[in-house]
């Protein structure tokens, strides 16, 4: 039953306050303006009969005499195949000039998927990026952040993953995007031919902060519906720090007592409730989440990356335009390496990282002017090939091609007995025509 109130008590930022009874947290309301327009809001806090709502658009034009109608339902997204190829804002409204989305109405912000129907992930998500596929394998239903700093090509990395993934549906959740970033995602999807399987929910930097909070909920609600219908969905979110900053902005407006660095005490729960949407559903589809988290001042102890690290299953650390092999980790990779992938995958990846770590020490000795041994020279040659062939984000290899190239790289720099890999694998995979130790 709809409840209608004719007076707004207070307005601050994107928040309005009314006196109302019988409403619930998260309930959707419509504010009818005197010029004939209407905007939507949702219930954010209830204190007795004082109800605080967050408005989904700019509050400009609202007066205290405008009518507020509570609709008796949560905020909803329109779901259907018509979503594919479309771009929408945080309120689920098209921003691509196309028609309104016609489909099933689904609630956003619902609880995470029933744990009883979750299964242990066993499948790899291919990206054709060696530093991910070989060394930090992404697993279907994994939730993993990209830790980086402003100025790094994290959005370009997301675009590459979107282009080369074998997922059925890609949902891009953009928060605080500049116009250039927003346009780059559009151009990338069109040029790569992936637009027909892509949905974009976008909050631009000039949009109200409250819409930033809705974007991941819209994206994940639709992703869950696709997954229930048997689709494997990849959700790419950028930037979760912008999302957290919007939470902080609204909390300050509500006079909440701040916690660490001004963020509210609910930050962990706010992040976890989104990341925990990642799921592999028994007998159906899956949701895999890759989310950018920019670290102010490259500070991993900042509240947003710090809380994120407790929630997610590893991280990709993007530094100096490369995925750092030492700061990155996929905690679920052991579920697929050597099981779904080739038997040599684990041994080869571990050996290559170990030798690259040794090459860093050789580079330090070189920088300090020490005389280099033959082994040091081999390590330095190997490190250059490793960075060019494996760490370069521009390369594009399937997993099998990357593994073969890894063996070739070892063979160009070392003799087979020097790399420390068991003989059965060496006999099978060591290149027969290698220039040994060259």
């Amino acid at each position: 039953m709809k409840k209608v109130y004719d007076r707004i008590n207070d307005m601050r930022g994107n928040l309005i306050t009314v006196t109302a009874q019988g409403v619930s947290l998260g309930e959707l309301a419509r504010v009818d303006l005197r010029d004939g327009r209407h905007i939507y809001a949702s219930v954010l806090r209830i204190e007795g009969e004082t109800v605080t709502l967050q408005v989904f658009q700019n509050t400009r034009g609202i007066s205290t005499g405008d009518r507020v109608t509570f609709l008796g339902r949560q905020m909803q997204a329109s779901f259907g195949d018509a979503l594919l190829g479309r771009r929408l804002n945080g309120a689920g409204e098209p921003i691509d000039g196309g028609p309104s989305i016609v489909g099933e109405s689904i609630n956003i912000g619902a609880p995470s998927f029933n744990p009883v129907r979750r299964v242990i992930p066993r499948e790899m998500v291919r990206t054709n990026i060696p530093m991910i596929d070989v060394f930090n394998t992404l697993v279907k239903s994994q939730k993993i952040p990209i830790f980086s700093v402003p100025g790094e090509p994290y959005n370009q990395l997301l675009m590459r993953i979107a282009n080369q993934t074998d997922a059925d549906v890609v949902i891009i959740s953009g928060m605080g995007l500049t116009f250039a970033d927003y346009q780059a995602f559009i151009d990338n999807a069109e040029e790569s031919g992936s637009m027909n399987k892509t949905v974009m929910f976008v909050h631009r930097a000039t949009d109200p902060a409250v819409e930033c909070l809705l974007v991941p909920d819209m994206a994940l609600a639709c992703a869950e519906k696709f997954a229930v219908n048997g689709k494997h969905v990849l959700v790419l979110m950028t930037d979760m720090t912008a999302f957290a900053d919007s939470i902080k902005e609204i909390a300050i407006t509500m006079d909440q007592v701040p916690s660490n660095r001004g963020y509210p005490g609910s930050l962990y729960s706010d992040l976890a409730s989104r990341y925990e949407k990642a799921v592999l559903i028994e007998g159906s589809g899956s949701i895999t989440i890759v989310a950018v988290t920019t670290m102010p001042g490259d500070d991993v102890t900042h509240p947003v990356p710090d809380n994120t690290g407790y929630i997610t299953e590893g991280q990709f650390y993007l530094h100096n335009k490369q995925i750092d092999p030492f700061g990155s980790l996929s905690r679920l990779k052991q579920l697929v390496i050597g099981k779904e992938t080739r038997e040599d995958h684990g041994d080869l990846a571990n050996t290559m990282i170990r030798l690259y770590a040794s090459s860093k020490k050789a580079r330090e000795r070189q920088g300090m002017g020490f005389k280099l041994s033959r082994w040091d020279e081999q390590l330095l040659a190997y490190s250059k090939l490793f960075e060019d062939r494996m760490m370069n984000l521009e390369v594009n290899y399937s997993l099998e091609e990357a593994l073969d190239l890894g063996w070739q790289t070892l063979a160009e720099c070392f003799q087979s007995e020097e790399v420390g890999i068991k003989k059965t694998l060496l006999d099978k995979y060591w290149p027969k025509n290698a220039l040994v130790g060259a």
Side-chain angles (χ1 to χ4, degrees):
M1 179 180 177
K2 296 181 180 179
K3 303 177 182 67
V4 182
Y5 298 89
D6 292 325
R7 180 164 182 79
I8 297 174
N9 300 334
D10 185 33
M11 291 180 287
R12 282 190 295 174
N14 286 90
L15 303 180
I16 61 175
T17 303
V18 300
T19 301
Q21 296 177 337
V23 299
S24 58
L25 282 174
E27 184 174 342
L28 191 65
R30 186 183 69 240
V31 182
D32 298 309
L33 308 185
R34 297 193 178 189
D35 60 7
R37 295 182 298 121
H38 61 263
I39 58 178
Y40 289 95
S42 70
V43 176
L44 192 63
R45 181 169 64 184
I46 302 173
E47 295 178 333
E49 294 186 355
T50 301
V51 179
T52 302
L53 303 95
Q54 54 184 358
V55 179
F56 298 148
Q57 299 167 26
N58 197 303
T59 54
R60 183 178 302 167
I62 297 179
S63 71
T64 56
D66 289 333
R67 175 179 296 180
V68 178
T69 304
F70 291 90
L71 303 180
R73 60 177 175 83
Q74 302 284 318
M75 183 67 182
Q76 294 181 325
S78 295
F79 170 80
D81 289 338
L83 275 174
L84 298 174
R86 300 300 303 276
R87 305 190 300 275
L88 306 98
N89 63 15
E93 299 166 341
I95 55 175
D96 55 6
S100 298
I101 304 295
V102 177
E104 178 185 353
S105 295
I106 56 175
N107 291 333
I108 71 169
S112 299
F113 204 84
N114 187 344
V116 175
R117 291 195 60 192
R118 292 173 179 256
V119 293
I120 298 174
R122 299 290 186 203
E123 299 178 56
M124 171 185 174
V125 178
R126 291 176 177 259
T127 67
N128 286 11
I129 300 172
M131 282 308 300
I132 296 178
D133 289 359
V134 177
F135 302 101
N136 299 285
T137 312
L138 182 61
V139 179
K140 198 168 287 183
S141 83
Q142 189 166 7
K143 47 187 179 290
I144 194 164
I146 299 172
F147 285 167
S148 190
V149 295
E152 290 286 344
Y154 44 79
N155 285 336
Q156 289 83 345
L157 177 57
L158 287 185
M159 292 176 205
R160 278 210 58 196
I161 294 173
N163 295 345
Q164 296 165 185
T165 181
D166 52 359
D168 300 316
V169 178
V170 176
I171 298 181
I172 296 172
S173 171
M175 292 158 278
L177 295 184
T178 65
F179 179 80
D181 289 334
Y182 170 50
Q183 189 62 46
F185 276 108
I186 298 171
D187 294 342
N188 174 74
E190 291 176 344
E191 291 169 7
S192 66
S194 61
M195 183 62 86
N196 63 344
K197 70 171 187 178
T198 302
V199 185
M200 297 185 191
F201 289 92
V202 177
H203 166 263
R204 291 163 291 197
T206 54
D207 293 335
V210 66
E211 282 196 25
C212 189
L213 306 187
L214 293 174
V215 162
D217 289 340
M218 284 277 178
L220 292 166
C222 292
E224 189 168 84
K225 196 67 176 178
F226 276 119
V228 169
N229 291 343
K231 302 290 187 181
H232 294 290
V233 186
L234 178 62
V235 180
L236 305 175
M237 302 199 292
T238 179
D239 169 8
M240 291 302 285
T241 302
F243 169 77
D245 286 344
S246 294
I247 294 175
K248 178 167 71 171
E249 181 180 333
I250 291 172
I252 291 171
T253 306
M254 295 176 62
D255 297 326
Q256 288 186 4
V257 177
S259 182
N260 191 6
R261 302 199 198 183
Y263 292 92
S266 63
L267 179 63
Y268 181 92
S269 298
D270 292 330
L271 294 172
S273 63
R274 276 78 185 181
Y275 280 113
E276 290 300 334
K277 294 287 186 177
V279 63
L280 179 59
I281 305 170
E282 183 177 6
S284 194
S286 66
I287 300 173
T288 305
I289 298 175
V290 180
V292 170
T293 297
T294 53
M295 302 182 294
D298 203 11
D299 179 13
V300 75
T301 67
H302 183 275
V304 181
D306 187 37
N307 280 279
T308 299
Y310 287 103
I311 300 164
T312 53
E313 295 146 345
Q315 69 279 332
F316 300 142
Y317 184 39
L318 185 63
H319 184 64
N320 292 331
K321 300 182 179 180
Q322 296 175 323
I323 296 177
D324 190 298
F326 307 121
S328 302
L329 171 67
S330 171
R331 293 194 179 97
L332 299 188
K333 65 182 181 181
Q334 69 272 12
L335 298 177
V336 298
I337 287 182
K339 301 177 178 66
E340 182 187 341
T341 64
R342 261 174 27 187
E343 60 178 334
D344 60 319
H345 186 166
D347 289 85
L348 178 63
N350 291 338
T351 298
M352 294 189 76
I353 291 295
R354 172 172 53 80
L355 291 171
Y356 184 64
S358 297
S359 76
K360 290 286 191 181
K361 298 177 182 177
R363 195 171 294 178
E364 290 176 4
R365 288 191 289 271
Q366 182 186 46
M368 290 186 289
F370 289 118
K371 183 178 180 180
L372 300 180
S373 65
R374 175 180 174 274
W375 178 247
D376 288 332
E377 298 286 358
Q378 289 176 261
L379 289 172
L380 291 174
Y382 167 75
S383 69
K384 185 178 187 307
L385 291 178
F386 182 86
E387 289 171 357
D388 290 344
R389 295 175 177 179
M390 297 293 163
M391 294 179 64
N392 184 355
L393 292 181
E394 300 301 318
V395 299
N396 184 358
Y397 306 128
S398 69
L399 173 62
E400 291 72 24
E401 291 171 337
L403 292 175
D404 290 340
L405 185 59
W407 283 109
Q408 184 64 39
T409 301
L410 292 179
E412 289 178 22
C413 301
F414 308 102
Q415 298 181 13
S416 59
E417 60 269 20
E418 292 177 319
V419 296
I421 297 178
K422 56 190 177 184
K423 189 173 184 303
T424 53
L425 293 178
L426 291 173
D427 291 342
K428 187 172 181 179
Y429 293 104
W430 193 264
K432 306 303 179 187
N433 59 346
L435 298 175
V436 180

